[in-house]
C-alpha cells in the first residue's frame, strides 16, 4: 500500500457513513405534533406558494424574451412536468408525514450524503425564490414611479458591467426581504394568517385579470404580422418551459406541512392535485390574455401585466394589478417559512449547525436561521438580477425533484420492515425486489440475483442512460460535433438502454400499500420525471451551471467539515455498538426504512445530546433483552 493512501478496510466504514439511512419510528416519550391543517388549509398553502408575485412577472418575462405567445404552451408543459414530480411528492407526503420534504425522502431511501445535497439545494430553492419575488415586487414599484428608483440608484452607485452580477444593487428589494423576515420572526400564527389572507385576495385579482383580459383581447396579436404564435420556435418553447418550471414549485410546501395535517394520507395528495391544477390554470389563462391584449414585442417584462392594462387605457386596472403584485407576497412568505423548516430539520439531524435549530422562547421561531439566511438572501437580491435568480432557482428545484423520483423507485422495490404481528401476513406475499414469478421462465438470467441487486443495477443504468439521452436531445449533433451516423447511433443506444432498464425494473415485484396513495404506473412515471427534469436542467445557461457547481462545492465543504461528524445517526450507532450483547455484531450502517432505531422528527423539538444518547441506550437494552439477567438501569 502506498504511503498516505487509505486502505480498503478504512474506506468501507467511511462509505457506510455516507450511505446510512434515517429511520422513522415514533418514540413513546415524544410529544406528537398538533394536527390542525385541513385539506383546504393545505390547498391554500400550495396555491400561495405557487401563485404569487411570480405570476405578475414571469409571464411577461418568458413571453418577451423566450417564447412569445407560445408562453402558454411553456406553462402547460411545465405543469405536466410538475405533475409527475407532484405525484412522487404526494406518495411520500402520505407515506411519511414528517417535516423535511425532499431532504427527508432522500434520507430514508438513498442515504445521508445524497440527502444533505438535496437539502442543501432545497435551501438554494427557497433562497432564490424569495430573492426573485422581492426583485419582482421592486420592479413593479419602480415602474409605478416611472423608473425614478432605479435611476437614482444607477446615478449614485453606478452600473456594474459584470456577467455574474446585476446591473445595479436593488436596495428596494432588500427592504422587502427585511420586512417579510420580520413577519416570519413573529411566529407561525401571524405568518400563516397573512398567507391565507393574501392567497384569497390573490385568487380574486387573478379572476379579475382573466375576465377583463378576455374582454380586451385582440386575436390579431397572435397573427404572422406580429411575429406569429411561436416566434422563437420549439427551442424557445423548451427554454421557456425550463424557466416556467419554477412557477409550480410551491406544492412541496404541502408535503413539508404533512406532519401537521389532520389526515395526511388523503389530504396531502388531494391538496397537491387541487393546488397544482389551480396554479396551472391561472398561469395559462393569464399568459393567454396578456399576449392577446398587447403584442408580445411591446411587453415590459418588469411589470408586464400592469403595463398591458396601461397600454390599453385602463390605468385603474393597471394600478390594481400593480398594487396586488407589490403587496401580496405569499411566495416570499412561503419561501421564508419553508426555509426555516428545512434548516431546523437538518440541524436536528446534526447535519447542519445546531445553533440554527434554536427557537426563540417568545415566538417559537428560529431567529438565528432567519437572521443568517435572511442576510444571505439580501446578498443574492443585491448581486443577481431577476433572470439569474429565476434560472438559479429552477436548477435547484429540478435537482431536488429528480432525487425524489429516484427515491420513489428505491422504496418501491425495497423490502419494508414489518412488526411481528405482520410477519405472517407478509410471508405470504412476494418480497419487493424479487423477479415476478410469471416472468422467471423468460428472464432466467435475472433469477439468480439476490433480491434488490438487479433493481439497483437497473436503476443506476436508468439514470445514466437518461443523462446521456437528454444530452443528445438537448445539444444536438452540431453542438456535440458528431457525424450524422454517430449522433443517430448514440441516440438509439441511449434510448434502447433507457427502455431496457425500465423494463427490467417493471419485471420485479413492487411494494403495495392499500391504505395510502401511491404513484401510478411505476416505474414509468418516476422515470419520465427523471428524464424530463434532467432535460430541462440542460436547457439552462452555462452561468447557471457554474453558480450551481459553486453552491454544491460549498455544501460538500459544510458536510465533510461538520455534518458527517455531528450526525445524530453516528451517536445512535456508537451507543448501540457500545452496549451490544456479547458475540453479537454491530448494527449495519445502512438500514431499511423503519428499522429498530427510533428517531425524533417533529419540527421544533429540541433535545440535548444527553437525552438522545439515553434514548439510544434504551433501544439497545430493549433490542438485547435476555442477553443478561441483570436488571437494567432506567434513564
Amino acid at each position: 500500500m502506498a504511503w498516505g493512501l487509505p486502505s480498503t478496510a478504512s474506506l468501507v466504514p467511511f462509505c457506510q457513513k455516507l450511505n446510512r439511512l434515517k429511520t422513522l419510528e415514533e418514540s413513546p416519550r415524544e410529544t406528537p405534533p398538533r394536527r390542525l391543517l385541513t385539506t383546504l388549509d393545505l390547498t391554500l398553502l400550495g396555491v400561495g406558494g405557487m401563485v404569487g408575485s411570480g405570476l405578475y412577472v414571469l409571464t411577461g418575462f418568458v413571453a418577451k424574451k423566450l417564447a412569445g405567445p407560445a408562453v402558454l404552451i411553456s406553462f402547460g408543459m411545465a405543469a405536466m412536468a410538475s405533475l409527475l414530480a407532484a405525484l412522487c411528492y404526494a406518495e411520500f407526503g402520505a407515506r411519511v408525514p414528517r417535516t423535511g420534504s425532499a431532504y427527508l425522502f432522500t434520507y430514508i431511501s438513498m442515504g445521508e450524503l445524497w440527502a444533505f445535497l438535496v437539502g442543501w439545494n432545497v435551501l438554494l430553492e427557497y433562497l432564490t425564490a424569495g430573492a426573485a419575488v422581492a426583485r419582482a415586487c421592486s420592479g413593479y414599484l419602480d415602474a409605478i414611479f416611472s423608473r425614478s428608483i432605479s435611476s437614482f440608484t444607477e446615478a449614485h452607485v453606478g452600473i456594474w458591467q459584470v456577467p455574474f452580477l446585476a446591473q445595479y444593487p436593488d436596495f428596494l428589494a432588500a427592504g422587502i426581504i427585511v420586512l417579510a423576515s420580520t413577519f416570519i420572526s413573529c411566529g407561525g400564527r401571524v405568518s400563516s394568517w397573512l398567507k391565507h389572507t393574501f392567497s384569497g385576495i390573490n385568487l380574486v385579482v387573478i379572476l379579475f385579470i382573466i375576465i377583463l383580459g378576455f374582454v380586451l383581447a385582440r386575436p390579431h396579436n397572435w397573427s404572422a404580422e406580429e411575429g406569429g404564435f411561436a416566434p422563437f420556435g420549439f427551442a424557445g418553447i423548451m427554454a421557456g418551459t425550463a424557466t416556467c418550471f419554477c412557477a409550480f414549485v410551491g406544492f412541496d410546501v404541502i408535503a413539508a406541512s404533512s406532519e401537521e395535517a389532520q389526515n395526511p394520507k388523503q389530504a396531502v395528495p388531494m391538496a397537491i392535485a387541487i393546488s397544482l391544477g389551480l396554479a396551472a390554470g391561472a398561469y395559462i389563462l393569464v399568459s393567454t390574455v396578456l399576449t392577446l391584449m398587447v403584442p408580445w414585442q411591446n411587453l415590459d417584462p418588469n411589470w408586464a401585466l400592469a403595463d398591458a392594462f396601461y397600454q390599453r387605457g385602463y390605468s385603474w386596472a393597471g394600478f390594481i394589478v400593480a398594487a396586488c403584485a407589490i403587496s401580496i407576497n405569499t411566495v416570499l412568505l412561503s419561501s421564508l417559512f419553508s426555509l426555516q423548516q428545512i434548516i431546523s430539520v437538518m440541524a436536528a439531524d446534526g447535519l447542519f449547525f445546531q445553533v440554527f435549530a434554536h427557537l426563540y422562547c417568545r415566538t417559537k421561531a428560529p431567529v438565528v436561521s432567519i437572521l443568517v439566511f435572511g442576510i444571505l438572501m439580501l446578498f443574492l437580491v443585491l448581486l443577481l438580477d431577476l433572470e439569474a435568480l429565476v434560472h438559479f432557482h429552477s436548477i435547484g428545484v429540478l435537482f431536488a425533484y429528480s432525487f425524489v423520483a429516484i427515491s420513489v423507485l428505491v422504496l418501491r422495490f425495497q423490502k419494508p420492515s414489518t412488526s411481528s404481528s405482520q410477519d405472517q401476513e407478509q410471508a405470504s406475499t412476494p418480497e419487493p425486489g424479487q423477479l415476478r414469478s410469471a416472468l422467471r421462465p423468460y428472464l432466467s438470467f435475472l433469477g439468480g440475483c439476490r433480491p434488490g441487486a438487479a433493481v439497483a443495477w437497473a436503476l443506476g443504468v436508468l439514470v445514466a442512460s437518461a443523462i446521456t439521452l437528454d444530452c443528445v436531445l438537448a445539444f444536438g449533433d452540431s453542438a456535440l460535433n458528431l457525424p450524422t451516423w454517430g449522433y443517430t447511433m448514440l441516440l438509439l443506444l441511449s434510448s434502447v438502454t433507457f427502455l431496457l432498464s425500465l423494463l427490467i425494473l417493471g419485471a420485479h415485484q413492487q411494494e403495495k400499500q392499500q391504505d395510502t396513495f401511491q404513484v401510478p404506473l411505476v416505474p414509468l412515471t418516476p422515470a419520465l420525471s427523471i428524464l424530463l427534469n434532467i432535460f430541462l436542467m440542460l436547457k439552462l445557461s452555462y452561468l447557471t451551471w457554474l453558480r450551481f457547481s459553486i453552491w454544491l462545492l460549498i455544501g460538500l465543504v459544510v458536510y465533510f467539515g461538520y455534518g458527517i461528524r455531528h450526525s445524530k445517526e453516528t451517536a445512535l450507532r456508537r451507543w448501540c455498538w457500545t452496549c451490544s450483547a456479547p458475540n453479537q455484531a454491530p448494527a449495519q450502517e445502512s438500514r431499511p426504512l423503519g428499522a429498530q432505531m427510533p428517531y425524533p422528527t417533529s419540527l421544533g423539538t429540541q433535545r440535548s445530546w444527553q437525552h438522545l444518547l439515553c434514548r439510544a441506550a434504551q433501544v439497545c437494552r430493549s433490542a438485547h433483552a435476555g442477553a443478561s439477567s441483570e436488571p437494567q438501569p432506567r434513564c
Side-chain angles (χ1 to χ4, degrees):
M1 183 180 67
W3 183 85
L5 294 179
S7 62
T8 305
S10 62
L11 287 177
V12 171
F14 177 74
C15 295
Q16 288 177 339
K17 286 183 179 180
L18 301 183
N19 293 283
R20 54 193 170 193
L21 304 179
K22 177 177 176 180
T23 54
L24 295 173
E25 284 192 4
E26 296 289 346
S27 170
R29 293 176 176 266
E30 183 179 353
T31 303
R34 300 180 63 188
R35 299 186 178 274
L36 301 177
L37 298 180
T38 63
T39 303
L40 178 61
D41 294 327
L42 293 174
T43 302
L44 290 177
L45 281 175
V47 172
M50 286 183 282
V51 182
S53 297
L55 180 138
Y56 299 93
V57 175
L58 197 60
T59 51
F61 172 80
V62 176
K64 175 73 174 182
K65 297 187 176 183
L66 297 176
V71 59
L72 63 96
I73 299 181
S74 296
F75 275 115
M77 296 181 67
M80 292 301 298
S82 300
L83 178 61
L84 297 176
L87 291 174
C88 300
Y89 269 83
E91 174 169 336
F92 270 109
R95 179 175 180 170
V96 188
R98 299 288 191 275
T99 302
S101 192
Y103 159 77
L104 175 66
F105 304 156
T106 309
Y107 207 165
I108 64 178
S109 59
M110 299 185 63
E112 185 173 285
L113 175 61
W114 302 111
F116 178 86
L117 291 178
V118 170
W120 186 250
N121 282 280
V122 171
L123 293 181
L124 173 66
E125 170 190 338
Y126 293 136
L127 284 172
T128 52
V133 170
R135 270 275 184 175
C137 295
S138 173
Y140 263 81
L141 191 60
D142 185 33
I144 290 177
F145 289 99
S146 303
R147 306 295 179 190
S148 59
I149 301 175
S150 58
S151 300
F152 178 83
T153 305
E154 292 176 359
H156 291 79
V157 179
I159 298 178
W160 299 339
Q161 300 294 338
V162 181
F164 288 94
L165 304 181
Q167 292 186 350
Y168 61 90
D170 196 338
F171 296 106
L172 181 59
I176 294 174
I177 290 177
V178 171
L179 181 61
S181 300
T182 304
F183 278 119
I184 293 294
S185 299
C186 294
R189 182 177 302 176
V190 176
S191 60
S192 178
W193 177 82
L194 283 176
K195 286 187 292 184
H196 283 66
T197 303
F198 286 164
S199 297
I201 298 175
N202 204 14
L203 292 177
V204 174
V205 174
I206 291 172
L207 186 62
F208 164 77
I209 293 172
I210 294 172
I211 294 175
L212 184 58
F214 274 115
V215 172
L216 302 176
R218 292 176 178 174
H220 177 73
N221 293 331
W222 287 5
S223 64
E225 299 177 2
E226 297 292 346
F229 179 74
F232 299 96
F234 180 76
I237 294 175
M238 295 310 300
T241 302
T243 305
C244 294
F245 194 90
C246 65
F248 301 100
V249 301
F251 64 79
D252 60 350
V253 178
I254 299 176
S257 304
S258 60
E259 190 177 12
E260 302 175 12
Q262 292 180 354
N263 187 7
K265 293 183 178 181
Q266 296 182 1
V268 171
M270 187 176 298
I272 288 178
I274 295 174
S275 60
L276 185 61
L278 290 175
Y283 276 101
I284 293 174
L285 291 176
V286 168
S287 59
T288 300
V289 300
L290 175 63
T291 53
L292 285 174
M293 283 194 299
V294 178
W296 64 271
Q297 303 96 327
N298 300 334
L299 293 174
D300 187 345
N302 291 315
W303 65 319
L305 277 177
D307 183 59
F309 285 107
Y310 274 102
Q311 292 187 37
R312 296 300 303 274
Y314 288 78
S315 57
W316 59 272
F319 179 80
I320 293 176
V321 173
C324 291
I326 295 169
S327 59
I328 300 177
N329 289 297
T330 53
V331 176
L332 179 55
L333 291 174
S334 297
S335 299
L336 289 171
F337 179 74
S338 301
L339 179 65
Q340 56 93 9
Q341 274 191 325
I342 190 67
I343 292 171
S344 298
V345 172
M346 293 178 68
D349 288 339
L351 301 184
F352 210 53
F353 304 103
Q354 294 294 306
V355 66
F356 293 119
H358 177 69
L359 301 180
Y360 183 56
C361 58
R362 182 170 299 178
T363 61
K364 302 301 181 182
V367 178
V368 176
S369 63
I370 294 175
L371 177 63
V372 173
F373 283 89
I375 294 175
L376 182 57
M377 191 180 293
L378 287 178
F379 277 107
L380 289 177
V381 81
L382 289 173
L383 299 178
L384 301 179
D385 57 11
L386 181 61
E387 182 178 2
L389 288 171
V390 170
H391 288 171
F392 207 8
H393 177 58
S394 297
I395 195 170
V397 170
L398 291 168
F399 182 86
Y401 285 3
S402 300
F403 271 90
V404 172
I406 295 173
S407 299
V408 169
L409 292 175
V410 170
L411 287 185
R412 277 299 189 92
F413 296 100
Q414 185 182 81
K415 180 181 179 181
S417 63
T418 57
S419 60
S420 57
S421 60
Q422 297 174 321
D423 287 340
Q424 185 176 0
E425 180 183 354
Q426 293 293 333
S428 60
T429 60
E431 180 181 346
Q434 286 185 339
L435 189 65
R436 297 179 186 270
S437 57
L439 299 176
R440 289 176 182 175
Y442 308 98
L443 300 174
S444 57
F445 63 96
L446 296 176
C449 300
R450 62 181 177 84
V455 170
W457 280 102
L459 182 57
V461 173
L462 177 73
V463 175
S465 60
I467 296 174
T468 306
L469 179 60
D470 284 327
C471 289
V472 173
L473 294 176
F475 301 122
D477 55 347
S478 59
L480 296 175
N481 296 321
L482 293 176
T484 303
W485 66 269
Y487 175 79
T488 305
M489 288 295 296
L490 186 59
L491 179 62
L492 290 176
L493 181 61
S494 57
S495 301
V496 171
T497 306
F498 181 82
L499 291 176
L500 286 178
S501 59
L502 192 63
L503 292 175
I504 292 176
L505 287 175
H508 287 78
Q509 188 67 38
Q510 301 179 28
E511 179 191 3
K512 298 296 183 181
Q513 292 186 355
Q514 303 296 331
D515 59 340
T516 185
F517 174 82
Q518 286 191 308
V519 180
L521 300 178
V522 173
L524 179 61
T525 301
L528 290 178
S529 179
I530 296 169
L531 187 68
L532 189 54
N533 292 340
I534 297 174
F535 178 78
L536 294 177
M537 290 175 69
L538 295 175
K539 299 298 291 185
L540 299 173
S541 65
Y542 74 94
L543 284 178
T544 303
W545 276 95
L546 181 59
R547 299 186 189 101
F548 181 67
S549 301
I550 294 173
W551 179 259
L552 284 181
L553 288 176
I554 297 174
L556 290 174
V557 170
V558 173
Y559 175 73
F560 288 106
Y562 179 86
I564 194 173
R565 294 183 291 108
H566 294 82
S567 173
K568 298 297 178 64
E569 294 293 325
T570 302
L572 292 175
R573 287 179 176 82
R574 183 182 300 120
W575 271 76
C576 214
W577 296 343
T578 301
C579 64
S580 57
N583 301 325
Q584 184 165 350
Q588 296 293 327
E589 282 293 324
S590 297
R591 291 169 287 114
L593 175 65
Q596 303 103 317
M597 204 68 64
Y599 182 81
T601 56
S602 61
L603 179 63
T605 304
Q606 306 301 318
R607 294 174 175 83
S608 64
W609 280 98
Q610 180 180 3
H611 178 59
L612 179 66
L613 297 179
C614 181
R615 290 182 58 244
Q618 287 179 330
V619 172
C620 295
R621 286 194 297 269
S622 61
H624 305 303
S628 175
S629 59
E630 298 179 359
Q632 301 293 338
R634 298 179 59 186
C635 290

